[in-house]
Amino acid sequence: MASSSFMAILTLALLLQMGTSSAQLSTNFYSSSCPRVFSAVRSTVQSAIRNEARMGASLLRLHFHDCFVNGCDGSLLLDDTSSFTGEKNAVPNRNSARGFDVVDNIKSAVENVCPGVVSCADILAIAARDSVAILGGPSWNVKLGRRDARTASQAAANNSIPPPTRNLNQLISIFNALGLSTRDLVALSGSHTIGQARCIQFRPRIYNETNIDSSFAQTRRSNCPRASGSGDNNLAPLDLQTPTAFDNNYFKNLIQNKGLLHSDQQLFNGGSTDSIVRTYSNSYNTFSSDFVSAIIKMGDIKPLTGSNGEIRKNCRKPN
């Protein structure tokens, strides 16, 4: 009797673990199989950021855009094949997602120290952490153990990654559907304290919206013509003051109506998230702590673990 009760409890525990895929990720996943993974990734990321400071934001963005489409499975990195159209040319990524060559370099460095062990999905997670830390932001223990998808979906990328045209309620719904709270939304949006955006993404805001600082709008219009198709890929910093430093100026900008994207300013526009933005603008430490919690939670979205997926030899194509 006791034995059957014990088996029932054991079975239930196993089922619960299977149902919580993030429980299979751990911060020491490669401690014995690839102890040099972190140094291999970090040295390559450092070199890439030294060459171009903007690359840190680009690598962080790859982790976001990977996790938001069918989970953190490295699918974003796959080139198109005869059997599927990948995510690189989906609307949110076309002429926008970048750093794939840096990921190739990181993968080569990791393969040199432990071939066939570390997934591309995990490389994105580690590179995101290192990018934030190198640009002056927080560091954290990355949960690892993800495996790589064998396929990708352009349609899923078009439907899952929130465009900059979304309003606050839409953004909250998108994040909530992935298990991320409203506070996670605001904290993760703080990643826009680094990086650049294209004119095509912020043109409607600087010409059509009224909740924008007039001098800021005028400055941005100088390299983003009103006419569609003219200067679409011209860049502007998401954070005017310190676009290559991971700080809390992004939130200070929002309070001054200097958010570059429509979706940015939605976080401070008389709605439910105004108080969170104020908190983060007044306390870098609170923002930093919440950002770490949120990005770890984001990294838990539907990972492939165990015998699912594969460990790609080349991040651009299935084995």
Side-chain angles (χ1 to χ4, degrees):
M1 188 75 175
S3 174
S4 61
S5 297
F6 173 77
M7 288 304 295
I9 293 168
L10 184 63
T11 302
L12 179 62
L14 288 170
L15 286 170
L16 285 171
Q17 187 176 20
M18 289 167 65
T20 312
S21 53
S22 61
Q24 297 173 29
L25 303 181
S26 70
T27 56
N28 61 358
F29 189 82
Y30 297 113
S31 58
S32 58
S33 60
C34 190
R36 293 166 63 191
V37 61
F38 294 115
S39 57
V41 174
R42 188 176 180 90
S43 62
T44 312
V45 172
Q46 273 180 319
S47 176
I49 292 176
R50 200 177 300 121
N51 291 336
E52 183 196 12
R54 181 189 172 204
M55 187 53 68
S58 299
L59 292 172
L60 175 59
R61 189 164 179 256
L62 289 182
H63 183 41
F64 275 74
H65 282 212
D66 181 40
C67 289
F68 267 65
V69 184
N70 295 325
C72 312
D73 60 3
S75 59
L76 171 61
L77 304 174
L78 290 170
D79 290 338
D80 296 352
T81 71
S82 57
S83 59
F84 64 81
T85 303
E87 299 164 25
K88 290 181 178 178
N89 281 312
V91 173
N93 296 325
R94 189 186 311 132
N95 299 320
S96 178
R98 58 197 297 276
F100 298 109
D101 53 339
V102 175
V103 175
D104 292 339
N105 293 339
I106 298 171
K107 179 64 171 172
S108 295
V110 171
E111 288 294 300
N112 281 340
V113 297
C114 41
V117 173
V118 180
S119 68
C120 299
D122 277 349
I123 282 173
L124 287 182
I126 301 169
R129 186 271 309 273
D130 289 348
S131 295
V132 170
I134 290 166
L135 293 176
S139 188
W140 60 92
N141 293 323
V142 184
K143 291 168 69 174
L144 301 166
R146 302 169 192 82
R147 289 167 65 85
D148 296 322
R150 296 186 175 94
T151 187
S153 170
Q154 185 175 107
N158 281 328
N159 292 328
S160 303
I161 299 170
T165 52
R166 291 291 183 256
N167 66 33
L168 180 58
N169 287 338
Q170 291 169 327
L171 292 168
I172 289 171
S173 294
I174 292 167
F175 275 68
N176 286 353
L178 294 170
L180 299 169
S181 69
T182 301
R183 197 172 183 92
D184 294 331
L185 158 65
V186 182
L188 290 171
S189 296
S191 63
H192 283 181
T193 192
I194 55 175
Q196 311 259 339
R198 295 179 299 143
C199 166
I200 195 172
Q201 295 172 317
F202 60 83
R203 178 185 286 125
R205 171 151 168 75
I206 62 173
Y207 286 104
N208 304 330
E209 298 188 10
T210 55
N211 61 339
I212 186 168
D213 178 87
S214 57
S215 61
F216 173 71
Q218 196 60 45
T219 300
R220 292 281 64 93
R221 289 171 186 167
S222 65
N223 75 326
C224 183
R226 183 188 288 271
S228 181
S230 177
D232 283 359
N233 291 321
N234 291 352
L235 297 171
L238 287 157
D239 166 13
L240 192 60
Q241 285 86 10
T242 52
T244 58
F246 197 94
D247 53 28
N248 65 337
N249 276 338
Y250 167 81
F251 299 104
K252 296 177 181 180
N253 293 336
L254 296 185
I255 289 173
Q256 298 171 22
N257 282 336
K258 293 180 180 178
L260 184 62
L261 303 178
H262 172 79
S263 54
D264 288 329
Q265 197 60 56
Q266 283 289 296
L267 302 179
F268 191 82
N269 192 40
S272 61
T273 52
D274 283 15
S275 60
I276 306 173
V277 170
R278 285 194 188 281
T279 298
Y280 292 163
S281 73
N282 290 325
S283 173
Y284 169 76
N285 288 339
T286 304
F287 159 56
S288 175
S289 174
D290 284 2
F291 177 84
V292 166
S293 298
I295 200 166
I296 290 171
K297 195 190 293 188
M298 186 188 78
D300 284 343
I301 298 173
K302 293 194 297 185
L304 296 172
T305 57
S307 59
N308 295 317
E310 64 182 13
I311 305 297
R312 268 182 239 145
K313 297 183 179 71
N314 179 338
C315 289
R316 293 176 181 265
K317 59 184 182 181
N319 293 341

